[in-house]
């Protein structure tokens, strides 16, 4: 995919490491990674937020573990080891969510287990955590995780407001509002993401034009 | 035990609840490899094959894990099986057709992280399908994935001849088309009962 993963190795850029995930290299809007959960569970803001936080947690834990083990994992089996590490934390998260709220666990369904195959987590482990210190990897995971949460929330909020007239189950539009059912259907996920990406592209284009 | 008929399972997995367009599974290859019709159909075939093998293995593993009472190992063992199947397919394709191997590129090893395959294994376990039902489910899901990929590739090949505005080119227009395809597939709901 069109992921442009770059990172600097200068020591005084820890703030940059954190911030780049939020905006410049936002995993969803810029790198277009981890699309499946983004589209599938963003039909309400609550689901989107829970999914985002679960993913961010797994990302943080796996980044920390991968970077602390980076000198012990042989190169040939590194991808398999990363996947095993990620799968362990996902299983933990799955059980934790089930313990916290059965309803939430039901509405997210198999998509919690599917965090294992979220390309975002594997790509951070491979591109960043396996080459950097624990502290930097932690910052990177936090930045990317928050970027992911924000993106998911943007999608979830738009879809819930338009598709249901509510946000976090609170009414936004008056009773008579004709909800756009299409927004909570699968097709709405594609459309909403397309429109967000369009907005980003327009913004980028305008900025470039200003610079010239 | 689930008593759905084979026909229902197939139609359901392939059209009504298409893995790509209704469940959003396997979006990465769907957006990444759908540029050319030829590559798309071969990618679909490779994914279907991995699905069949991993579905069979998942059935066995699930039975084993239930027997030894260790359900928390489910996810880890599924992903290991899928990763090794993909490795096998990769070696096979590299040997048989180096050209196809180059065309699929990074997306071939990435079949491992294709959510459609892990999703299939998890769904069939959740639904309690028996061995034959699981196989049919895998076939249906694979056919549905291939169908979505091929449809998309056909549309994108046509798109190459049009003059879309610069801002929508690339991912944006692909997602818009995917949305319209997804709406179209909703017309299948209620089929196969």
């Amino acid at each position: 995919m069109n992921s442009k993963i770059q990172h600097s190795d200068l020591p005084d850029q820890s703030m940059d490491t954190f911030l780049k995930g939020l905006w410049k290299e936002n995993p969803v809007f810029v790198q277009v990674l981890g699309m499946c959960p983004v589209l599938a569970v963003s039909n309400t803001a609550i689901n989107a937020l829970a999914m985002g936080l679960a993913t961010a947690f797994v990302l943080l834990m796996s980044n920390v573990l991968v970077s602390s083990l980076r000198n012990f994992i042989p190169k040939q089996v590194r991808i398999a080891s990363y996947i095993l590490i990620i799968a362990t934390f996902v299983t933990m998260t799955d059980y934790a969510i089930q313990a916290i709220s059965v309803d939430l666990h039901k509405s997210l369904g198999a998509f919690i287990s599917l965090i294992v195959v979220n390309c975002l987590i594997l790509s951070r482990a491979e591109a960043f955590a396996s080459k950097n210190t624990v502290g930097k990897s932690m910052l990177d995971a936090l930045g990317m995780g928050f970027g992911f949460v924000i993106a998911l929330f943007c999608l979830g909020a738009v879809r819930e407001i338009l598709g249901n007239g509510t946000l976090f189950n609170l009414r936004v539009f008056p009773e008579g509002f004709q909800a756009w059912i299409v927004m909570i259907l699968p097709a709405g996920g594609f459309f909403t993401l397309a429109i967000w990406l369009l907005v980003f592209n327009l913004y980028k284009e305008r900025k470039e034009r200003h610079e010239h | 035990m689930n008593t759905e008929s084979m026909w229902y399972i197939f139609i359901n997995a392939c059209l009504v609840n298409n893995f790509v367009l209704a469940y959003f599974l396997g979006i990465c290859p769907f957006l990444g490899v759908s540029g050319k019709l030829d590559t798309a159909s071969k990618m679909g075939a490779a994914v279907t094959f991995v699905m069949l093998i991993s579905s069979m293995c998942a059935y066995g593993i699930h039975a084993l894990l239930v027997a030894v009472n260790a359900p928390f190992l489910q996810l880890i063992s599924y992903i290991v099986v899928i990763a090794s199947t993909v490795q096998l397919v990769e070696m096979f394709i590299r040997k048989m057709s180096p050209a196809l191997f180059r065309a699929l590129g990074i997306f071939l090893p990435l079949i491992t992280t294709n959510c459609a395959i892990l999703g299939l294994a998890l769904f069939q376990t959740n639904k309690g399908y028996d061995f034959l039902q699981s196989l049919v489910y895998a076939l249906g899901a694979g056919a549905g994935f291939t169908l979505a990929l091929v449809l998309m590739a056909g549309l994108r090949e046509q798109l190459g001849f049009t003059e879309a505005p610069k801002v929508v080119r690339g991912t944006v227009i692909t997602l818009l088309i995917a949305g319209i395809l997804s709406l179209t597939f909703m017309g299948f709901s209620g089929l196969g009962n």
Side-chain angles (χ1 to χ4, degrees):
Chain A
M1 201 135 295
N2 46 356
S3 54
K4 291 176 219 87
I5 300 157
Q6 318 154 329
H7 47 84
S8 48
D9 287 306
L10 296 172
D12 59 339
Q13 291 195 325
S14 52
M15 202 57 199
D16 267 13
T17 312
F18 176 66
L19 285 179
K20 74 177 190 303
L22 292 187
W23 179 250
K24 231 181 1 194
E25 290 179 25
N26 186 292
V28 175
F29 293 135
V30 180
Q31 299 187 37
V32 203
L33 285 177
M35 283 296 106
C36 312
V38 168
L39 293 165
V41 289
S42 62
N43 48 0
T44 67
I46 286 271
N47 280 1
L49 219 54
M51 186 67 193
L53 287 176
T55 311
F57 170 75
V58 175
L59 180 61
L60 179 65
M61 299 309 281
S62 61
N63 248 15
V64 166
L65 197 60
V66 164
S67 89
S68 46
L69 292 176
R70 68 185 185 281
N71 296 326
F72 302 104
I73 299 177
K75 232 183 157 40
Q76 296 85 352
V77 294
R78 66 183 193 288
I79 301 287
S81 332
Y82 298 161
I83 288 196
L84 281 186
I85 289 172
I86 296 168
T88 314
F89 286 118
V90 171
T91 310
M92 273 167 55
T93 316
D94 191 18
Y95 279 84
I97 291 180
Q98 208 167 358
I100 294 166
S101 159
V102 179
D103 285 340
L104 189 62
H105 188 263
K106 229 179 242 164
S107 67
L108 292 179
F111 281 97
I112 305 170
S113 311
L114 287 175
I115 296 177
V116 180
V117 284
N118 190 327
C119 350
L120 168 65
I121 299 176
L122 194 61
S123 88
R124 287 336 281 172
E126 165 74 5
F128 199 93
S130 61
K131 295 169 193 143
N132 286 287
T133 55
V134 178
K136 276 182 98 176
S137 306
M138 208 190 271
L139 276 176
D140 175 71
L142 280 175
M144 287 289 164
F146 272 119
F148 192 71
V149 172
I150 292 170
L152 262 174
F153 179 72
C154 287
L155 276 162
V158 168
R159 286 181 74 185
E160 193 181 341
I161 291 174
L162 292 179
N164 213 4
T166 60
L167 184 64
F168 292 119
N169 292 327
L170 299 171
R171 204 138 263 296
V172 176
F173 289 119
E175 279 304 324
F177 173 68
Q178 182 76 45
W180 305 7
I181 302 292
V182 66
M183 289 317 250
I184 36 177
L185 294 177
F190 286 117
F191 289 139
T192 318
L193 183 62
I195 288 162
W196 272 112
L197 288 176
L198 185 66
V199 169
F200 267 67
N201 280 357
L202 278 174
Y203 173 80
K204 241 187 283 174
E205 206 192 44
R206 179 170 287 183
K207 214 169 121 193
E208 269 166 27
R209 213 181 291 152
H210 271 286
E211 278 165 7
H212 283 305
Chain B
M1 196 45 58
N2 206 305
T3 53
E4 291 165 10
S5 75
M6 299 295 167
W7 178 237
Y8 175 79
I9 292 172
F10 184 81
I11 290 293
N12 198 30
C14 177
L15 296 176
V16 183
N17 286 320
N18 186 288
F19 265 50
V20 178
L21 297 169
Y23 284 161
F24 301 115
L25 297 172
I27 297 287
C28 298
F30 179 64
L31 298 179
V33 207
S34 60
K36 271 212 208 104
L37 205 54
D38 184 46
T39 328
S41 52
K42 282 172 183 158
M43 180 71 181
V47 168
T48 311
F49 178 73
V50 176
M51 274 180 171
L52 271 177
I53 305 270
S54 52
S55 157
M56 277 190 261
C57 297
Y59 181 79
I61 290 173
H62 180 66
L64 188 74
L65 287 183
V66 168
V68 298
N69 200 13
F72 51 86
L73 285 178
Q74 191 188 49
L75 199 56
I76 296 182
S77 28
Y78 281 4
I79 197 79
V80 169
V81 166
I82 292 170
S84 15
T85 320
V86 171
Q87 193 77 53
L88 210 74
V89 172
E90 196 184 335
M91 278 167 8
F92 179 76
I93 292 183
R94 180 150 44 178
K95 195 97 186 160
M96 298 306 286
S97 160
L100 178 60
F101 184 74
R102 273 195 301 277
L104 293 176
I106 181 71
F107 287 100
L108 192 56
L110 278 184
I111 296 180
T112 309
T113 51
N114 185 336
C115 0
I117 293 167
L118 185 63
L120 173 88
L122 291 169
F123 288 149
Q124 77 175 37
T125 314
N126 286 350
K127 291 183 177 183
Y129 285 155
D130 65 22
F131 186 69
L132 264 180
Q133 281 173 323
S134 302
L135 271 188
V136 173
Y137 192 52
L139 263 182
F145 181 81
T146 315
L147 182 67
L149 210 61
V150 166
L151 279 177
M152 193 63 181
L155 287 170
R156 278 180 75 177
E157 277 193 349
Q158 293 299 313
L159 206 63
F161 300 116
T162 62
E163 283 183 30
K166 199 178 148 233
V167 276
V168 298
R169 255 179 238 166
T171 322
V172 176
I173 200 150
T174 316
L175 281 171
L176 284 175
I177 294 175
I180 296 168
L181 266 183
S182 164
L183 272 184
T184 320
F185 267 67
M186 283 187 50
F188 289 120
S189 55
L191 209 69
N193 282 321

